[in-house]
Amino acid sequence: MASANSNVRRGERLKSWKEIAAFFGTDERTVRRWEGRGLPVQRIPGGARATVYAEVAELQRWMRGRDIEASAGQSALPPKRHRRTMAGVAALTLAGAAAIVLWPGRPPMPPAASAHRAPARAVDLYLQATYDRERRTPAGLEQARDLFGRAIAEDPAYAEAYAGLAKTYLLLREYSVMPDADAYARAGEAAERALSLDPKLADAEAVRAFVTFFWTRDWARGLAGFERATQLDPMSADAWHWYGTALFHAGRFDAAMRALGEAQEREPASRSIVADKALVAYHAGRRAEGVAELRRLAASEPEFYSPHYYLSQIEFADGDPSIAMQETQAAARIRGDPEAIVAAGRAEQAFRLGGRVAVLRAMLAGEEARRRAGKGSDYQLAALHALLGEKEPALRFLAASDAAGESLYVAVRVDLRFRGLGSDARFRQLQADVERPPPSRA
């Protein structure tokens, strides 16, 4: 077995696959395989599968047990191709001394003695924050933001905590009512701080790519950043997931499904990845499959925002307005948006009185009132006019949304509500414009 890092204290906790691999002097793929043979790693209950930690004392006990088995002729780790070739090297002593080994085909990786190690208190806060973030609820995300901040206060050089905070800000804009401009700015700042501490931190690189693609709207640089993040850590579910969502918005559905498949392989329990795969399947022509999966997820995870929001958009554009209203109300309630809850109630009342057109007119009136109060969205006005078949105001408000740099505009290539504008050359030009920085941020 590979040499354990003797610089690590016995009572210390290793907080990632990267640190566990460095402890053994090997690579991440190898230690991930060892998990299937009993490597004692722990996961946060309900958290991302990629979020692991391990106690050094438990790893050392595991090593001793495997070496005792090897000396007794039993099946031991690592696999045969990684067994020691150095004659005279026997089992570890019961005192727990690390073995010195040679690996066939390549020299052993040196332990990462210079790598930064956060104190145990900061690591515990980081793990708690990650659990709360993965819940993807407004309350959980607020708690995660606080805990990541406390982890950073404990250790200002903790790059992973800055990256975790950056990811939390991105989710706050989606799953709560944090304004996009504020969330993207804070996420970008935290990601840059993380990268200044660890330039090879894939999570931070993925956040920077997300901000570049979805907010700055420099799609070429954003997609290159996602590619770089997946190369820095091919096992990062978040990097593959966000890469897939970017490819989806670019209209590259097959590539998006491949990237999301990579993400799901690494994080099979992620409901967010499942929801996004279902949405892409719908857009790629597998409509019945996509809707069925979203409905199943909405039923099994009634407090999860994404499937309700996706179904509301699909049903408004293609399906049953009454279902669309139910899903809209559910999404507004889960997100904790009181104005949206009131608007959904008014729209439901309009539907009972006048059907689909009455619903759209009520929603349009509500969005116009929000716009007069400085809170509305040109993009949403454009979508509602498009659903009503009113092409000229739809195009006018879309152009205004582009000029203002509204974050919703990034979906213009895949938004089903604009399908009726597809033959108009002006609309196709607006779709082409989306992959360049908007005038307001050029």
Side-chain angles (χ1 to χ4, degrees):
M1 186 174 292
S3 299
N5 183 354
S6 60
N7 294 323
V8 179
R9 297 186 301 275
R10 181 176 176 80
E12 190 167 349
R13 173 178 288 176
L14 307 179
K15 61 183 183 294
S16 66
W17 284 117
K18 180 179 179 181
E19 292 194 358
I20 295 168
F23 172 79
F24 285 110
T26 185
D27 56 78
E28 291 184 41
R29 288 183 180 272
T30 298
V31 292
R32 285 173 185 263
R33 288 197 301 269
W34 290 354
E35 184 187 9
R37 302 192 184 185
L39 184 70
V41 297
Q42 306 294 326
R43 288 187 170 81
I44 303 170
R49 180 172 174 78
T51 304
V52 300
Y53 63 95
E55 305 293 343
V56 168
E58 292 182 1
L59 296 179
Q60 290 174 333
R61 282 195 296 271
W62 180 80
M63 281 196 306
R64 290 198 297 272
R66 302 313 299 182
D67 281 311
I68 289 169
E69 288 182 14
S71 66
Q74 300 175 25
S75 175
L77 290 179
K80 184 174 181 180
R81 67 180 181 276
H82 288 158
R83 290 180 186 167
R84 304 172 196 175
T85 59
M86 185 175 181
V89 177
L92 292 175
T93 68
L94 294 179
I100 300 175
V101 299
L102 293 179
W103 286 55
R106 62 181 175 86
M109 292 175 63
S114 61
H116 177 75
R117 293 193 181 279
R121 175 60 180 160
V123 174
D124 287 340
L125 289 165
Y126 171 88
L127 294 171
Q128 294 171 39
T130 301
Y131 169 77
D132 283 322
R133 186 189 66 218
E134 292 305 312
R135 290 163 53 200
R136 281 173 160 77
T137 64
L141 291 167
E142 290 292 347
Q143 179 73 2
R145 177 168 60 173
D146 176 65
L147 289 169
F148 279 124
R150 289 166 58 189
I152 290 167
E154 291 279 344
D155 181 7
Y158 197 175
E160 289 86 348
Y162 281 104
L165 180 62
K167 291 161 72 173
T168 302
Y169 279 123
L170 290 183
L171 294 177
L172 276 165
R173 52 158 290 279
E174 181 177 0
Y175 293 96
S176 77
V177 294
M178 175 175 276
D180 284 344
D182 189 20
Y184 277 119
R186 291 175 182 269
E189 290 170 3
E192 293 296 340
R193 177 57 177 158
L195 289 167
S196 72
L197 294 166
D198 183 352
K200 295 184 178 180
L201 189 57
D203 279 356
E205 186 66 48
V207 171
R208 181 161 66 181
F210 195 104
V211 174
T212 301
F213 185 94
F214 288 99
W215 181 245
T216 308
R217 270 177 40 194
D218 186 338
W219 282 17
R221 284 183 57 231
L223 291 173
F226 284 122
E227 183 72 24
R228 186 162 53 251
T230 61
Q231 292 171 355
L232 286 171
D233 182 4
M235 300 306 295
S236 172
D238 281 340
W240 284 109
H241 183 186
W242 292 347
Y243 192 15
T245 60
L247 290 165
F248 163 67
H249 281 81
R252 296 165 57 182
F253 301 143
D254 290 343
M257 285 297 285
R258 287 194 296 271
L260 290 170
E262 295 282 354
Q264 192 172 27
E265 282 186 15
R266 289 151 178 78
E267 188 53 67
S270 170
R271 57 188 186 176
S272 181
I273 295 171
V274 172
D276 286 348
K277 279 189 71 178
L279 181 66
V280 176
Y282 181 91
H283 281 265
R286 292 147 50 190
R287 295 189 175 186
E289 175 189 338
V291 169
E293 183 64 13
L294 287 170
R295 287 177 178 167
R296 183 195 66 78
L297 189 58
S300 63
E301 302 276 359
E303 296 304 308
F304 180 41
Y305 170 78
S306 295
H308 296 289
Y309 176 72
Y310 294 161
L311 284 169
S312 72
Q313 300 299 300
I314 288 171
E315 295 293 347
F316 266 126
D318 268 345
D320 185 336
S322 64
I323 296 177
M325 293 311 309
Q326 294 171 15
E327 298 296 348
T328 298
Q329 287 185 315
R333 175 183 56 79
I334 293 166
R335 197 166 184 255
D337 187 341
E339 291 187 5
I341 293 171
V342 171
R346 289 173 178 166
E348 184 180 29
Q349 184 178 14
F351 177 74
R352 289 198 300 267
L353 295 174
R356 181 177 182 273
V357 172
V359 167
L360 294 174
R361 288 293 178 199
M363 294 175 68
L364 185 62
E367 195 64 33
E368 287 171 342
R370 282 172 52 81
R371 187 170 181 268
R372 288 193 295 271
K375 299 179 180 179
S377 163
D378 288 327
Y379 185 86
Q380 294 287 37
L381 287 170
L384 290 165
H385 279 294
L387 287 172
L388 287 164
E390 299 168 352
K391 181 170 70 172
E392 293 304 321
L395 291 170
R396 184 172 70 253
F397 282 117
L398 262 186
S401 177
D402 177 23
E406 290 185 339
S407 62
L408 289 173
Y409 189 80
V410 77
V412 70
R413 286 190 182 175
V414 295
D415 195 324
L416 297 168
R417 296 173 296 179
F418 295 111
R419 192 165 46 199
L421 302 180
S423 62
D424 192 286
R426 292 168 295 174
F427 177 66
R428 292 197 297 272
Q429 182 60 53
L430 286 166
Q431 286 183 311
D433 289 344
V434 70
E435 61 184 274
R436 293 187 291 274
S440 61
R441 288 194 289 277

